[in-house]
C-alpha cells in the first residue's frame, strides 16, 4: 500500500474533513443497516438447490467423456 | 457533546444494529443445512493444453464468452489472445507499459482491456478495419494502479484501483461516469453480477463491498477476513459472493442473508489465495494459491476435493469458461494451462 503525502492543511480544514468523513460513514452505515435480510436457512437451501439443479450440466463436476471434450487430443487409430 | 463524538457514537450504534440484524436471521449455518449432502467425490482434472509464448510472469487472464478464446496479460509487455483449443495465438498485442496487472475480454468479443502500474485502463479494438489491433481509448483518472477491469458492454467498463476506488467509465468519451468510493484500502479485484446490475469489490481493508452500478451506491459491506482480499467472484446464481484472501482462506457471503455462510480453509494451507473461480453449477470452487497449486473445494461442504498441480510458480489467475467446459490457470512461470 502506498502512503500519499497530503498537502499541509490548517487544523480547521482538517477537522471539517474529519467531520465530513464521519457524516459519510454514518450515512453509509444507515444504508447498510436498513436492508431486508432473509434467514440463513432459506439462503442455504437456495444455494443447495441451485447446485443440485445445475449439477448434471456442470462439466467439471460430472467429468467430460473424451468424445465430447474439445480440449482432449483424440489419438488417431492406426490400422495395422 | 461535540459533533465528532456524536457521529462516532451513531456509527458504533449502527454497526451494533447490523451485527444484531445479521444474528437475528442466523437460524442455522450452511454447514448444518448441508449436513445431509454427500461430499463431492475426488475431482481429478488433467492439463489438456499448455499455452506457451509469454516471456515473463502472467498476471491475469480472462475467457471470452465463446468459451474458446481467452486473453492473458504478462509483464513481458504483451496481451495475447489465444485459441485455447488449437493453442494458436490469435493476437499478440504489444503494450506501452509492461507493468500490467489485469486484462479483460468484452462480452461481444470485439474489445480487450488491460492496465496496471500506469494507472490507466487501455481499451484495444480487436476487430479494426485494417486488421491491426490498436489502442482505442486510454481511460486515465485513477491515482493508483489498475488492479482489475471488467466490461459491462462495448461502451462501459468498470475498473478497480490501488487508489481505493472503483470507477464506471464511458468508453466512447473516455470519461468517468461514476466513482465508487468507500474502501479504506487498495481495491484489488472486482466481479460483475450475472444480471449486470451490481458489482463486488475486494480490497486491502479486508472487506468486500456490493455496489449498485446505476445508483452508484455501496449496498453492503462484508468483513471477516484477516488480511487483504485478492480475489472475488459471484456464485453463479448471483446471490452469493466468494472472496479469496492473503489470510489463506476463501469465504462465501450470502447477499440476501447479508453475512458470511462458510469459510474454505485447511490447517495445511498457509499461503495466500491469489485467484478463484466457481464451476458452472457453483458446487466446485477452484482457487489459486501462492504455493503454485489450485485447490478444488466442495463449495457446500467446505472440503478440499482436488488439487491442480502443474505450475512451477505462483498461480496468479484462474477462470472457468462460460460453458463450464474448462478451467484456465495462468502463472508466474509464464504458462497458461487448460484443465478439465
Amino acid at each position: 500500500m502506498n502512503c500519499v503525502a497530503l498537502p499541509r492543511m490548517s487544523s480547521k480544514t482538517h477537522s471539517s474533513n474529519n467531520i465530513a468523513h464521519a457524516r459519510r460513514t454514518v450515512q453509509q452505515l444507515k444504508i447498510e443497516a436498513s436492508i431486508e435480510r432473509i434467514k440463513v436457512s432459506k439462503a442455504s437451501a437456495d444455494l443447495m438447490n441451485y447446485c443440485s439443479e445445475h449439477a448434471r450440466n456442470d462439466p467439471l463436476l460430472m467429468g467430460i467423456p473424451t468424445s465430447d471434450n474439445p480440449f482432449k487430443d483424440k489419438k488417431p487409430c492406426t490400422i495395422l | 457533546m461535540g459533533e465528532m463524538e456524536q457521529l462516532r457514537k451513531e456509527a458504533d450504534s449502527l454497526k451494533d444494529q447490523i451485527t444484531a440484524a445479521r444474528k437475528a436471521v442466523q437460524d442455522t449455518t450452511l454447514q448444518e443445512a448441508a449436513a445431509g449432502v454427500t461430499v463431492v467425490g475426488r475431482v481429478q482434472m488433467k492439463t489438456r493444453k499448455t499455452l506457451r509464448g509469454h516471456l515473463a510472469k502472467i498476471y491475469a487472464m480472462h475467457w471470452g464468452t465463446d468459451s474458446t478464446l481467452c486473453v492473458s496479460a504478462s509483464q513481458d509487455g504483451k496481451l495475447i489472445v489465444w485459441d485455447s483449443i488449437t493453442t494458436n495465438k490469435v493476437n499478440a498485442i504489444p503494450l506501452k507499459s509492461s507493468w500490467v496487472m489485469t486484462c479483460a475480454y468484452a462480452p461481444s468479443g470485439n474489445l480487450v482491456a488491460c492496465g496496471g502500474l500506469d494507472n490507466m485502463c487501455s481499451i484495444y479494438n480487436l476487430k479494426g478495419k485494417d486488421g491491426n489491433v490498436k489502442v482505442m481509448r486510454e481511460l486515465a483518472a485513477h491515482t493508483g494502479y489498475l488492479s482489475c477491469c471488467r466490461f459491462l458492454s462495448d461502451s462501459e467498463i468498470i475498473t478497480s484501483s490501488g487508489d481505493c476506488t472503483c470507477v464506471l467509465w464511458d468508453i466512447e468519451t473516455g470519461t468517468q461516469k461514476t466513482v465508487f468510493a468507500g474502501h479504506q484500502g487498495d481495491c484489488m479485484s472486482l466481479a460483475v453480477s450475472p444480471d449486470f446490475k451490481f458489482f463486488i469489490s475486494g480490497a486491502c481493508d479486508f472487506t468486500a463491498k456490493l455496489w449498485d452500478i446505476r445508483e452508484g451506491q455501496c449496498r453492503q459491506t462484508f468483513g471477516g477476513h484477516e488480511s487483504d482480499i485478492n480475489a472475488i467472484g459471484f456464485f453463479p446464481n448471483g446471490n452469493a459472493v466468494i472472496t479469496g484472501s492473503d489470510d489463506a482462506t476463501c469465504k462465501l457471503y450470502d447477499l440476501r442473508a447479508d453475512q458470511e455462510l462458510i469459510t474454505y480453509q485447511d490447517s495445511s494451507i498457509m499461503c495466500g489465495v491469489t485467484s478463484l473461480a466457481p464451476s458452472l453449477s457453483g458446487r466446485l470452487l477452484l482457487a489459486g494459491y501462492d504455493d503454485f497449486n489450485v485447490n478444488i473445494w466442495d463449495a457446500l461442504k467446505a472440503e478440499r476435493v482436488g488439487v491442480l498441480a502443474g505450475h512451477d510458480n505462483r498461480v496468479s489467475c484462474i477462470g472457468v469458461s462460460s460453458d463450464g467446459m474448462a478451467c484456465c490457470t495462468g502463472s508466474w512461470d509464464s504458462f497458461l494451462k487448460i484443465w478439465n
Side-chain angles (χ1 to χ4, degrees):
Chain A
M1 278 175 275
N2 289 322
C3 293
V4 177
L6 295 167
R8 296 198 59 190
M9 296 179 285
S10 70
S11 60
K12 202 165 179 187
T13 324
H14 197 75
S15 65
S16 66
N17 276 351
N18 278 350
I19 296 223
H21 182 260
R23 282 195 197 128
R24 276 196 303 272
T25 301
V26 165
Q27 198 44 44
Q28 180 57 39
L29 286 169
K30 281 183 178 163
I31 293 171
E32 294 182 23
S34 69
I35 64 160
E36 295 283 312
R37 293 171 182 81
I38 66 168
K39 292 213 189 301
V40 171
S41 54
K42 167 108 175 81
S44 303
D46 286 354
L47 285 174
M48 286 158 56
N49 284 339
Y50 189 89
C51 284
S52 64
E53 276 165 29
H54 292 84
R56 80 191 94 90
N57 296 323
D58 185 342
L60 296 180
L61 180 65
M62 303 304 291
I64 308 168
T66 304
S67 51
D68 297 341
N69 191 347
F71 297 97
K72 191 157 186 196
D73 288 324
K74 288 141 184 84
K75 292 196 167 62
C77 294
T78 323
I79 300 177
L80 299 167
Chain B
M1 202 189 302
E3 191 181 355
M4 200 56 207
E5 187 54 34
Q6 215 167 333
L7 289 167
R8 221 192 304 269
K9 283 199 98 177
E10 212 180 337
D12 285 342
S13 162
L14 286 162
K15 285 178 192 167
D16 289 343
Q17 259 181 65
I18 292 171
T19 304
R22 284 170 169 165
K23 197 125 186 77
V25 295
Q26 210 177 70
D27 56 345
T28 185
T29 65
L30 176 56
Q31 204 94 55
E32 280 165 33
V37 176
T38 317
V39 180
V40 164
R42 185 127 199 99
V43 175
Q44 277 170 324
M45 293 186 209
K46 295 204 175 107
T47 301
R48 301 299 177 187
K49 306 284 176 184
T50 299
L51 306 180
R52 298 181 167 86
H54 279 302
L55 303 171
K57 294 175 176 171
I58 290 171
Y59 274 79
M61 69 77 48
H62 194 213
W63 281 99
T65 47
D66 68 353
S67 298
T68 301
L69 299 178
C70 64
V71 63
S72 61
S74 162
Q75 295 204 347
D76 64 3
K78 292 245 171 31
L79 271 192
I80 299 181
V81 177
W82 309 82
D83 178 318
S84 62
I85 297 180
T86 63
T87 73
N88 287 342
K89 298 173 191 48
V90 178
N91 300 104
I93 306 164
L95 305 174
K96 272 194 205 172
S97 163
S98 64
W99 304 111
V100 65
M101 294 173 67
T102 182
C103 63
Y105 218 129
S108 65
N110 295 331
L111 310 173
V112 288
C114 69
L117 295 185
D118 59 356
N119 298 1
M120 289 195 313
C121 182
S122 300
I123 314 287
Y124 294 84
N125 185 356
L126 297 177
K127 309 284 171 76
K129 270 177 292 202
D130 57 358
N132 279 335
V133 176
K134 286 198 299 260
V135 179
M136 197 182 101
R137 212 56 93 229
E138 281 175 342
L139 308 174
H142 278 300
T143 53
Y145 60 85
L146 207 83
S147 53
C148 193
C149 56
R150 285 293 178 258
F151 285 91
L152 295 182
S153 65
D154 279 4
S155 53
E156 287 182 316
I157 192 168
I158 301 184
T159 56
S160 62
S161 169
D163 69 10
C164 310
T165 70
C166 296
V167 172
L168 169 68
W169 302 83
D170 178 326
I171 296 175
E172 203 51 44
T173 59
T175 56
Q176 299 174 286
K177 270 184 158 172
T178 314
V179 176
F180 301 89
H183 274 299
Q184 311 270 291
D186 300 20
C187 295
M188 296 304 293
S189 187
L190 76 99
V192 180
S193 65
D195 65 7
F196 290 93
K197 290 183 182 166
F198 300 94
F199 77 93
I200 42 175
S201 56
C204 293
D205 60 5
F206 312 173
T207 71
K209 283 179 180 288
L210 175 78
W211 306 88
D212 183 320
I213 296 175
R214 299 305 155 194
E215 298 289 313
Q217 213 180 59
C218 171
R219 287 289 185 82
Q220 290 166 265
T221 302
F222 301 99
H225 274 298
E226 294 169 0
S227 188
D228 302 350
I229 294 175
N230 298 317
I232 201 160
F234 271 94
F235 186 85
N237 70 357
N239 286 339
V241 163
I242 309 161
T243 52
S245 166
D246 272 347
D247 69 8
T249 75
C250 294
K251 286 177 185 290
L252 183 142
Y253 299 91
D254 189 278
L255 296 179
R256 296 175 305 159
D258 185 41
Q259 59 192 274
E260 176 190 326
L261 291 194
I262 208 159
T263 298
Y264 306 95
Q265 66 188 346
D266 189 301
S267 53
S268 65
I269 303 173
M270 290 176 290
C271 61
V273 178
T274 61
S275 50
L276 61 86
S279 71
L280 202 59
S281 67
R283 186 62 194 269
L284 300 178
L285 171 64
L286 296 97
Y289 292 74
D290 285 341
D291 68 358
F292 313 174
N293 290 330
V294 170
N295 288 314
I296 306 177
W297 298 87
D298 177 328
L300 297 180
K301 305 291 288 182
E303 284 189 37
R304 226 181 348 167
V305 295
V307 176
L308 302 181
H311 283 293
D312 295 324
N313 207 323
R314 177 184 290 193
V315 173
S316 56
C317 50
I318 193 166
V320 169
S321 56
S322 320
D323 64 4
M325 288 288 278
C327 162
C328 177
T329 53
S331 166
W332 279 10
D333 69 8
S334 83
F335 302 117
L336 295 139
K337 286 180 184 288
I338 310 288
W339 310 75
N340 65 18

